[in-house]
Amino acid sequence: MKTVTLAHYYTTKEVQDMADHVGDSLDLAQRAKESNAGRIVFAGVRFMAETAKMLNPEAEVILPDWNSTCSLVEQTDVFDLWEWRADHPDHVHVMYINSSVGQKALADYIVTSRNAEPIVQKLLEKGQKVIFSPDRNMGNWLSRKLGVEIPSWSAVCEVHDQFDRQRLDESFAKYGGRIPYLIAHPESPMPILEEANYIGSTAGMLDWVDRKTLDDKDIFVATEFELVRMMRERRPDLKIWQVPVIADCRCNECPYMKLNSAAKVKAAIAGTGGTVINYLDPDMMARAKVPVERMMKFNETGKI
Ligand code: SF4
């Protein structure tokens, strides 16, 4: 059977080397949608494999390790989310793609870190009021950036939420008056985002570093360690550091992404391991697909 393997930037180099495509959640969702392969092995986390199945129901989608979830999904009870949405009847519900199919079925628009800002901006221009779930930090960032109140759900990414401003300031202090650059993913907490020279998606941050002209400044990056490794590999001429996490926290890597071991991905490619995504309720999938398709349409046309 023709098999395509998709790997997220946060998987290890060994796994990325086995993949046909490496990218962020938006890239990989698009790849899954356009793939004509009979089997898609998704080396990422569960909500990504579920989104791939939704966009390409004909393909057999395999998740190498069933336990590869995401804290944003796990911290969001779908019934509580339903009630929260019902408490805001005159708002458009914009939801980050880091959500389960059941959660997505409660959204009006799905967004990724790459297109969240322009999509919310367009909705505001149309006079809509917006609520945002499940990522509190991203919701707060959108609210601040766009200058409007956006009520946000309270879940966080357990990796990005641990980047620590006090320890960052201590690191910066060692540079004397020469302040290094700081770039950050919007899942990071506000004290980090407030200080950042650039805030963007994983692909956006990689691009920023790729295009950076060499000067004497170091770059601190607030995102998962694997991306920092990739940046260092692509730009050995720059000094690139990960922003420190709170003391004693072993959380600068996503434990769920790292469940995609090379052996498990290999077994999934061979069709001898992993979980086939075949448990999704068709009605639920149909409802969840509507806000995902709205995002895809925005990506193609710039319109909502
Ligand atoms: Fe979820 Fe954070 Fe891991 Fe991304 S890095 S999959 S948001 S826990």
Side-chain angles (χ1 to χ4, degrees), residues 10 45 69-72 98 157-160 187 254 256-257:
Y10 295 168
V45 292
T69 181
C70 167
S71 62
L72 289 166
N98 293 32
C157 162
E158 68 182 52
V159 180
H160 289 81
E187 289 169 12
C254 176
Y256 312 114
M257 290 283 184

Side-chain angles (χ1 to χ4, degrees), residues 22-279:
V22 179
D24 63 7
S25 50
L26 183 59
D27 277 331
L28 298 180
Q30 199 79 45
R31 295 278 184 185
K33 185 180 179 203
E34 290 162 4
S35 175
N36 61 5
R39 175 181 295 144
I40 297 173
V41 172
F42 211 119
V45 292
R46 199 188 308 150
F47 76 78
M48 296 177 178
E50 291 178 348
T51 306
K53 181 67 183 176
M54 219 160 51
L55 293 171
N56 191 343
E58 300 305 316
E60 178 186 68
V61 177
I62 304 184
L63 181 67
D65 189 309
W66 169 252
N67 293 314
S68 55
T69 181
C70 167
S71 62
L72 289 166
V73 174
E74 298 303 321
Q75 293 171 13
T76 305
D77 179 89
V78 76
F79 295 106
D80 290 347
L81 189 69
W82 183 87
E83 281 186 358
W84 182 72
R85 188 196 181 190
D87 287 343
H88 298 84
D90 55 345
H91 287 64
V92 175
H93 185 188
V94 177
M95 186 181 288
Y96 191 28
I97 198 166
N98 293 32
S99 44
S100 68
V101 169
Q103 291 159 359
K104 283 186 176 75
L106 297 174
D108 297 305
Y109 282 86
I110 295 298
V111 296
T112 68
S113 49
R114 224 184 314 167
N115 56 29
E117 185 188 339
I119 287 178
V120 172
Q121 169 88 55
K122 289 256 184 229
L123 288 167
L124 296 174
E125 283 167 8
K126 287 192 162 190
Q128 305 277 12
K129 290 194 278 184
V130 169
I131 55 172
F132 189 83
S133 72
D135 190 312
R136 179 183 68 210
N137 289 333
M138 194 177 290
N140 290 343
W141 168 67
L142 286 166
S143 192
R144 185 185 166 105
K145 183 91 200 277
L146 298 170
V148 288
E149 197 199 338
I150 299 176
S152 294
W153 187 253
S154 55
V156 291
C157 162
E158 68 182 52
V159 180
H160 289 81
D161 197 51
Q162 303 303 327
F163 291 122
D164 187 56
R165 176 64 186 269
Q166 192 183 331
R167 297 192 77 208
L168 178 67
D169 288 345
E170 286 163 12
S171 300
F172 278 10
K174 294 178 190 151
Y175 289 80
R178 187 172 66 88
I179 302 295
Y181 287 110
L182 170 65
I183 64 174
H185 191 281
E187 289 169 12
S188 307
M190 190 53 76
I192 297 289
L193 297 177
E194 277 169 348
E195 200 55 27
N197 301 94
Y198 173 79
I199 299 167
S201 65
T202 40
M205 284 190 288
L206 264 183
D207 186 51
W208 190 91
V209 168
D210 280 346
R211 288 185 292 105
K212 193 75 207 143
T213 47
L214 179 63
D215 61 23
D216 66 345
K217 286 191 177 180
D218 293 14
I219 300 172
F220 279 69
V221 185
T223 197
E224 213 266 356
F225 180 74
E226 212 60 42
L227 204 76
V228 179
R229 180 195 61 72
M230 287 177 73
M231 288 172 177
R232 286 174 178 163
E233 200 173 272
R234 285 156 77 146
R235 289 300 305 268
D237 55 323
L238 298 177
K239 287 187 198 144
I240 301 173
W241 311 99
Q242 191 180 30
V243 169
V245 289
I246 57 169
D248 302 326
C249 165
R250 298 273 174 273
C251 47
N252 63 350
E253 294 193 347
C254 176
Y256 312 114
M257 290 283 184
K258 299 302 186 275
L259 288 173
N260 292 281
S261 66
K264 286 179 196 160
V265 175
K266 200 170 167 190
I269 293 170
T272 57
T275 301
V276 178
I277 307 294
N278 60 3
Y279 52 83

